[in-house]
Amino acid sequence: MARLSDPVTLLKGVGPTKAKQFAALNIYTLGDLICHFPRGYEDRTRLIPIEKLEADTPSCFRAMVMNTPRTAHIRKGLDLTRVQVADHSARLTLTFFNNKFAAEQLQYGKEYIFYGALSGDFSGYSMTNPVFEAMDSQPVTTRRVLPIYPLTSGLSNAAMLKAIRQAMAVCDTPPEILPESVRREFGILDAGRAYAAIHEPSSMAEAELAKKRLIFEEFFVFSAGLSLIRASRAEKRIPAYHTVELNAFYDALPFPLTGAQKRAIGEITQDVSSGFPMNRLIQGDVGSGKTMVAAAAAYLAVKNGQQVALMAPTEILAEQHQQSLSKLFSPLGIRTVLLTGSMTAKQKREVREQLSLGQADIAIGTHALLSDTTQFANLGLVIADEQHRFGVSQRAKLSGKGNDPHLLVMSATPIPRTLALLMYGDLEVSIIDELPPGRKSVDTFLVGESYRARINAFIRKQVQEGHQCFVVCPAVEENEDLGIKAATVWADTLQQTVFPDLRVMLIHGQMKGSEKEAAMAAFAQGQADVLVATTVIEVGVDVPNATLMVIEDADRFGLSQLHQLRGRVGRGGHQSYCILTTHNRNTETVSRLKALCKTTDGFKIAEEDLKMRGPGDFFGSRQSGLPTFRVANLSMDLQTLKDAQQASAQWIDTEGTSDTPEAIALRERIGVLFQRTEGTMN
Ligand code: ADP
Ligand code: MG
């Protein structure tokens, strides 16, 4: 028996060339091969009489060869083989191009199983290049459900199939990790059967069952892992904070806090007074005032003699935080410093020295803040603003760092509860569900192309009143997907033809990080009237003077994403607007977009998005904090997700530390998953 960790080159027919092709698919070991799951299936189990074959629908049929195949040499490089076949119902002519194999193998008077699609023309039906197998052969390409694998150039589906079949024959499938009780409760295949059936299902239904099992397994492992991280943190004891009088802090604020902000601060206060490291997510819509909640947490830490690291996703956001927080804190005798990559070496050295000597209390920067070169005298609280780039394993790593600092993560992306459990199962959650008073909601409209002149006039009007506008496009450059607006082209059009007298600027994801930041900073400083952008502005800088956002081809975005984008305006005191344009007249699309015009509740919108588009969007590339799911990505099944979560929570409670073979194998898998996640995130 071979082992799952053995290299693929162990297999017959897999030499250096094949190995390289497999490597392109991240397949190195037999285990990788066995975990290379089909992206779909073709049902080739049913045999159909020739008479019943339908044009353009590939099917299997059993037929006898009625003559000796005749090959005609049409021209150089083109040989044509024709053969007549028949079953009890009808006759059919098969045509093969350059197929020596068919010409030699098909024998007069013998029966074969064919698989192909009928094509019809005026002279009747025929079939081109069907695959075929002799009746007495082992079914490989016919008489079965054929798995279709993700492939790479040079590697055929048949070769992949053969390699996987070999691997399955020479080694055991990955061990069972789901407890029997769970499998029984949720009607789930055991591991051995699931792996066999995902690659060689006896029916489409069995393939579905196998897929369900593997999806369940992935979710189960992931949520169990989160629960374990959480449980292991709960064992860590640290000194509880002493009570801090917050009045001085409140008095320093330019406004009274909202009830929701106070509630979140209350929850944080409890966490830090508990004697355990805090792990809390603050979720609140853009503009709900999360920064001040973070500031309160920082105040508690500093008043307890500890330092704080505040990480922002971009340098410019870090600078913005530094400005507002130093203004707030310096009168209170609290020293904030900025540490970013674009500072000079000398500046950085000075700041690092202050931090290591404890001469600065709050360090604001990007993720580089937590690199090994930055030493803190006494780091007690880490705040991550916009959590997406601060994933599970970074969080896990943090708790192992130094003396278990408290962690506060802030997110402006409302995520439905089920998904939140999956993404932040290791965190407690506070929700800020109230906007500061006087905030006007962003008036949102959905219009078609016939409104173009009015949109342009409206942009001009906003600019004339001294305000700025965002115009968001779904693509950076023009591509095959004609008809959708590309930021580069549209910026050009707006500047050259529509608003030659205004200042139009461009920002998109293909620009260098520093270029993007410079463009964003320039716009924030009022150096342009109109900023044409892609979704890069989603997580971004406060531009209170921006009062209008036009989102082109809005149907190209998810609702949550649109909501997120819309949050870029309405940040000052002025009435703000969002105009969604679309060419799409599909009623479902229109009603989806109209929902956005009616509500500003991010959670409601997220739920709607989940219902309409499934969880895929929430797991998009933006959410880099999540591991890549192998099967789960392919078909996100919400019910399976919920079941797996429930089951894993139960398992942790009852069997989390047990020594059954399943429990041991599961803990091993969890370890591997979180290691791998880490690798893809750094
Ligand atoms: P978030 O980070 O949640 O998107 P911010 O913390 O940046 O929101 O706050 C958005 C704006 O609202 C800031 O200009 C901030 O000063 C202001 N703000 C925050 N809390 C209040 C409040 N309670 N009352 C009035 N304005 C507030
Ligand atoms: Mg913020």
Side-chain angles (χ1 to χ4, degrees):
M1 264 321 206
R3 272 173 311 181
L4 289 168
S5 55
D6 285 335
V8 283
T9 44
L10 205 78
L11 299 176
K12 244 190 336 182
V14 181
T17 315
K18 274 262 146 45
K20 217 181 246 165
Q21 291 164 349
F22 282 129
L25 294 163
N26 276 324
I27 298 171
Y28 302 95
T29 65
L30 298 183
D32 293 338
L33 206 48
I34 288 175
C35 290
H36 188 63
F37 300 125
R39 59 178 168 77
Y41 297 92
E42 277 177 19
D43 190 353
R44 302 184 178 183
T45 50
R46 256 166 27 101
L47 296 183
I48 290 182
I50 291 181
E51 184 187 51
K52 294 266 167 64
L53 291 174
E54 282 175 41
D56 304 323
T57 310
S59 323
C60 262
F61 58 97
R62 172 182 175 164
M64 186 181 280
V65 172
M66 305 302 287
N67 61 1
T68 301
R70 273 194 303 267
T71 300
H73 184 70
I74 305 293
R75 56 176 156 79
K76 193 167 180 312
L78 181 61
D79 286 337
L80 212 111
T81 305
R82 274 183 202 279
V83 64
Q84 286 261 323
V85 300
D87 65 4
H88 60 86
S89 72
R91 263 173 189 268
L92 183 64
T93 304
L94 306 181
T95 309
F96 297 90
F97 291 105
N98 295 336
N99 194 330
K100 248 204 176 119
F101 181 77
E104 285 165 8
Q105 293 295 309
L106 290 171
Q107 285 175 27
Y108 174 47
K110 261 189 86 172
E111 275 192 307
Y112 298 85
I113 306 288
F114 296 90
Y115 177 80
L118 211 58
S119 47
D121 58 27
F122 62 92
S123 64
Y125 286 110
S126 70
M127 186 176 284
T128 312
N129 295 333
V131 294
F132 63 91
E133 287 174 327
M135 284 296 299
D136 52 4
S137 69
Q138 204 201 359
V140 177
T141 54
T142 68
R143 291 161 292 165
R144 63 175 293 178
V145 175
L146 186 77
I148 308 296
Y149 290 98
L151 299 169
T152 183
S153 109
L155 195 62
S156 71
N157 199 53
M160 178 64 82
L161 216 108
K162 210 163 120 199
I164 291 175
R165 195 178 259 189
Q166 263 196 74
M168 295 281 287
V170 298
C171 57
D172 285 328
T173 48
E176 181 58 77
I177 54 166
L178 296 176
E180 206 207 320
S181 55
V182 171
R183 277 180 277 142
R184 211 170 328 114
E185 183 178 349
F186 295 98
I188 280 168
L189 296 185
D190 63 65
R193 276 188 61 199
Y195 282 101
I198 197 93
H199 295 299
E200 308 233 4
S202 61
S203 64
M204 291 299 262
E206 203 192 27
E208 272 312 306
L209 274 181
K211 209 159 89 183
K212 179 180 165 194
R213 141 87 207 205
L214 293 167
I215 294 174
F216 188 97
E217 175 179 319
E218 281 195 310
F219 284 147
F220 188 92
V221 171
F222 188 70
S223 13
L226 291 184
S227 307
L228 284 183
I229 291 176
R230 191 170 170 152
S232 80
R233 278 202 206 114
E235 284 165 11
K236 300 212 168 94
R237 300 300 311 236
I238 54 168
Y241 279 10
H242 62 71
T243 314
V244 174
E245 180 51 64
L246 275 169
N247 279 340
F249 173 75
Y250 289 144
D251 290 344
L253 292 177
F255 38 68
L257 293 180
T258 64
Q261 283 172 315
K262 282 191 196 141
R263 198 171 57 232
I265 293 171
E267 285 161 350
I268 291 167
T269 309
Q270 276 189 356
D271 288 348
V272 294
S273 325
S274 70
F276 299 102
M278 166 170 72
N279 283 283
R280 184 166 289 278
L281 170 73
I282 304 282
Q283 236 186 12
D285 247 334
V286 259
S288 60
K290 294 182 290 294
T291 316
M292 287 309 145
V293 174
Y299 186 78
L300 295 178
V302 173
K303 287 292 164 189
N304 272 271
Q306 296 194 322
Q307 288 170 303
V308 180
L310 172 66
M311 302 184 297
T314 63
E315 292 205 353
I316 172 160
L317 270 172
E319 281 161 23
Q320 212 163 53
H321 279 318
Q322 159 69 359
Q323 268 171 23
S324 59
L325 292 182
S326 65
K327 201 155 78 196
L328 170 67
F329 280 130
S330 66
L332 296 169
I334 294 173
R335 300 151 297 182
T336 57
V337 289
L338 181 70
L339 184 60
T340 65
S342 57
M343 287 164 47
T344 65
K346 179 159 170 282
Q347 287 172 319
K348 282 189 250 188
R349 202 166 47 240
E350 277 172 19
V351 168
R352 290 211 170 97
E353 193 175 298
Q354 289 173 356
L355 288 170
S356 68
L357 294 175
Q359 290 165 353
D361 304 302
I362 303 178
I364 301 170
T366 57
H367 288 164
L369 264 188
L370 289 190
S371 73
D372 293 335
T373 44
T374 313
Q375 299 290 329
F376 290 83
N378 184 17
L379 179 63
L381 169 66
V382 172
I383 302 171
D385 191 5
E386 300 301 346
Q387 90 299 352
H388 289 134
R389 300 162 211 199
F390 198 66
V392 182
S393 80
Q394 271 119 332
R395 303 200 288 263
K397 218 168 20 182
L398 186 66
S399 67
K401 204 176 176 104
N403 39 4
D404 288 316
H406 294 295
L407 173 64
L408 189 65
V409 176
M410 294 187 288
S411 165
T413 316
I415 289 180
R417 191 163 166 70
T418 23
L419 298 186
L421 272 175
L422 183 66
M423 299 167 74
Y424 317 117
D426 59 327
L427 300 175
E428 312 288 334
V429 180
S430 296
I431 290 179
I432 308 190
D433 51 6
E434 187 183 345
L435 289 182
R439 194 69 56 79
K440 294 191 187 77
S441 67
V442 178
D443 280 347
T444 306
F445 307 93
L446 177 66
V447 300
E449 198 50 42
S450 59
Y451 278 71
R452 184 59 62 195
R454 270 175 279 182
I455 296 173
N456 291 341
F458 197 56
I459 292 176
R460 186 174 288 285
K461 177 161 172 276
Q462 293 300 315
V463 173
Q464 275 165 356
E465 286 172 8
H467 298 307
Q468 291 164 284
C469 306
F470 291 104
V471 175
V472 181
C473 300
V476 176
E477 276 171 83
E478 249 170 12
N479 53 18
E480 317 88 70
D481 206 349
L482 290 176
I484 71 163
K485 288 220 159 50
T488 45
V489 181
W490 192 236
D492 229 34
T493 310
L494 287 183
Q495 180 69 87
Q496 305 300 331
T497 14
V498 189
F499 305 122
D501 53 328
L502 304 185
R503 297 164 301 168
V504 178
M505 230 166 75
L506 174 68
I507 184 172
H508 60 74
Q510 286 172 15
M511 285 161 57
K512 275 209 253 54
S514 53
E515 287 171 359
K516 272 187 291 201
E517 298 218 352
M520 204 58 219
F523 186 66
Q525 285 160 16
Q527 292 171 23
D529 305 304
V530 177
L531 181 64
V532 180
T534 55
T535 51
V536 290
I537 54 161
E538 223 173 323
V539 172
V541 176
D542 224 355
V543 187
N545 192 39
T547 51
L548 170 62
M549 173 171 289
V550 180
I551 304 180
E552 301 289 350
D553 299 301
D555 52 292
R556 296 299 175 128
F557 302 91
L559 282 191
S560 293
Q561 204 177 7
L562 289 171
H563 178 61
Q564 199 71 22
L565 284 166
R566 174 171 68 176
R568 300 279 104 223
V569 293
R571 308 202 111 204
H574 316 285
Q575 178 58 52
S576 297
Y577 308 90
C578 177
I579 299 176
L580 310 171
T581 80
T582 181
H583 298 280
N584 197 316
R585 300 198 176 196
N586 179 301
T587 32
E588 204 172 276
T589 308
V590 170
S591 81
R592 197 165 66 85
L593 292 174
K594 278 199 172 142
L596 195 76
C597 301
K598 279 189 224 117
T599 179
T600 51
D601 181 335
F603 284 95
K604 248 194 222 152
I605 291 166
E607 292 287 352
E608 191 70 15
D609 227 8
L610 184 65
K611 255 195 299 189
M612 299 276 219
R613 292 166 57 117
D617 272 15
F618 295 94
F619 292 90
S621 52
R622 283 186 308 136
Q623 267 77 8
S624 53
L626 276 182
T628 41
F629 292 104
R630 281 169 185 271
V631 214
N633 267 340
L634 301 179
S635 67
M636 283 289 191
D637 167 1
L638 214 52
Q639 190 55 46
T640 307
L641 171 56
K642 285 181 190 165
D643 289 349
Q645 263 159 5
Q646 187 206 325
S648 82
Q650 236 167 34
W651 178 83
I652 293 283
D653 279 351
T654 55
E655 295 185 67
T657 53
S658 86
D659 280 327
T660 61
E662 283 100 346
I664 293 169
L666 175 56
R667 283 195 292 269
E668 206 177 297
R669 267 283 290 281
I670 291 171
V672 172
L673 174 70
F674 282 94
Q675 242 170 10
R676 180 174 301 177
T677 307
E678 202 168 284
T680 58
M681 282 189 315
N682 291 335

